[in-house]
Amino acid sequence: MSPPDRESFPSPRIGTAQTLNRMAEKRADKDWVKGRLNDAKTRFLLLVDLSLAVDSARDKSGTKLRWYTAEQIEALGVDLNDTFLLGCNENEDDVTIFAVSLSSAEAANVPGGAESLKPLVDLRSLAMQGDLSPEDLSLAGVARALAAWHAIAKCCGRCGGKTRSKDAGWRRRCWACGQEFYPRADPAVIVLITDGERCLLGHHKRYAHKFYSTLAGFVEPGEDIEACVRREMREETGVEIGDVTYLASQPWPFPHLLMVGCWAEALTTDLSLEEEELYDARWFTREEIRQMLTETHPEGFTVPGSHSIAYALIKSFVELE
Ligand SMILES: [Zn+2]
């Protein structure tokens, strides 16, 4: 059977609604960055241990991203030079947006203590909760991915020296040997396997009870997308894959992945599971998937929510008849 049409592929809610101009050409322009850091219109997002500072009602409804001014950020004892640039919102009076990321130890030392920065909510929970727009979820995703990269890039992988943030947070440089590091996105494949009538979904040990999703795996050095799909799916399930078609991708800021969504045709259907990772995998009919999407499956099986490309892949399978 033919894969779904890329034009009609549903957009996941995290990562694909990018509205900012990232201003990549201005990141190394110190005068421009300084000017924007001190511009009264400029706003800052705050993350603590990769969770986002938000505002919400007492019953946790009406959640919105919390915006700080430069003055408020400095009042927390944060050097504005330690913030990173997300970009400019050209639709909204050219407002520049930066983010600042604190560890929980740093947050404990701000005036008023860590408690004054709450509520702090992880992006995955924000996506599930559904109050934030796709644009705000995508913006928060860029901030989370960049913050996660800075958190693991503090030391040089070559000589062990300390690295310092440059170019408004888009480069780090080792003070000792000069080695440079750039924020990266790690490619991973996420795959809808079908035998024409059914699709194969897996239940990982870390998943909630009765939750099934598309299978995924990291691209290894020296491998192309198609080879990765065939290797990972064979390793995890024992299924041999024929044609592989790229459908869409999604930046996935957990911590900083690029999910490459593929449609794969199964040549075999017998399963032999890699039990270390995968607790179960099974073939589901379209009717069953429809029930799982509406949470009406008689055995209580469920699938991922609309914030993920896994959902988009599963939905496109149901719609293709
Ligand atoms: Zn070094």
Side-chain angles (χ1 to χ4, degrees):
M1 82 188 284
S2 319
D5 182 7
R6 281 177 56 185
E7 300 288 302
S8 59
F9 193 75
S11 285
R13 294 185 73 243
I14 291 182
T16 55
Q18 308 275 351
T19 51
L20 281 194
N21 179 344
R22 296 180 165 227
M23 306 302 287
E25 71 284 7
K26 292 290 190 188
R27 291 169 185 162
D29 181 339
K30 286 181 184 162
D31 291 337
W32 183 88
V33 173
K34 195 174 170 196
R36 292 295 169 126
L37 281 170
N38 292 297
D39 183 339
K41 287 186 304 189
T42 295
R43 297 182 295 172
F44 297 76
L45 283 177
L46 174 76
L47 298 97
V48 177
D49 273 352
L50 304 183
S51 285
L52 288 131
V54 297
D55 287 318
S56 58
R58 263 191 194 179
D59 63 357
K60 297 187 181 171
S61 65
T63 303
K64 291 190 173 68
L65 294 173
R66 188 190 309 147
W67 294 106
Y68 288 82
T69 63
E71 217 168 73
Q72 290 169 323
I73 290 294
E74 285 184 305
L76 296 174
V78 174
D79 185 338
L80 291 185
N81 293 315
D82 291 335
T83 63
F84 42 86
L85 173 69
L86 301 184
C88 290
N89 192 341
E90 289 166 332
N91 299 331
E92 204 186 310
D93 200 21
D94 204 19
V95 167
T96 315
I97 299 174
F98 289 80
V100 56
S101 172
L102 303 178
S103 65
S104 47
E106 288 166 332
N109 286 327
V110 306
E115 205 57 31
S116 66
L117 305 176
K118 289 182 178 176
L120 299 161
V121 185
D122 184 66
L123 183 59
R124 220 184 280 260
S125 308
L126 289 173
M128 306 276 259
Q129 190 188 17
D131 278 348
L132 294 190
S133 65
E135 289 76 15
D136 277 355
L137 283 174
S138 299
L139 179 63
V142 182
R144 191 189 193 282
L146 204 50
W149 176 75
H150 279 283
I152 60 158
K154 291 185 190 309
C155 292
C156 174
R158 188 182 183 199
C159 78
K162 271 195 172 180
T163 63
R164 291 193 182 126
S165 181
K166 302 279 181 187
D167 298 356
W170 289 87
R171 176 166 67 99
R172 293 187 77 93
R173 188 169 188 279
C174 174
W175 72 276
C177 77
Q179 179 75 37
E180 298 198 320
F181 300 91
Y182 294 88
R184 49 180 298 180
D186 298 325
V189 295
I190 181 157
V191 188
L192 191 294
I193 303 177
T194 178
D195 67 353
E197 295 304 314
R198 303 171 300 169
C199 75
L200 182 63
L201 302 180
H203 175 77
H204 275 258
K205 288 191 172 160
R206 63 178 185 277
Y207 288 168
H209 189 50
K210 298 203 171 183
F211 175 92
Y212 281 74
S213 186
T214 45
L215 299 160
F218 284 104
V219 181
E220 291 186 346
E223 207 170 40
D224 62 25
I225 298 294
E226 292 82 356
C228 175
V229 168
R230 295 195 178 100
R231 175 185 56 76
E232 279 284 349
M233 299 307 114
R234 189 190 314 116
E235 279 174 13
E236 288 196 23
T237 67
V239 170
E240 296 294 334
I241 300 295
D243 282 350
V244 174
T245 306
Y246 165 77
L247 283 181
S249 63
Q250 178 186 27
W252 188 241
F254 306 100
H256 36 71
L257 307 183
L258 176 67
M259 303 303 284
V260 180
C262 296
W263 181 269
E265 294 192 10
L267 298 176
T268 62
T269 55
D270 285 347
L271 301 178
S272 151
L273 304 186
E274 182 196 47
E275 286 172 2
E276 279 280 291
E277 272 279 299
L278 207 57
Y279 188 72
D280 185 32
R282 58 178 79 187
W283 294 97
F284 291 98
T285 63
R286 279 199 174 72
E287 183 50 32
E288 281 184 288
I289 297 288
R290 239 177 245 117
Q291 292 169 336
M292 289 157 82
L293 284 166
T294 52
E295 297 185 12
T296 55
H297 193 284
E299 291 181 62
F301 295 135
T302 59
V303 289
S306 63
H307 57 282
S308 68
I309 193 169
Y311 169 87
L313 285 163
I314 292 167
K315 193 151 190 288
S316 71
F317 170 74
V318 165
E319 286 172 357
L320 198 71
E321 276 194 286

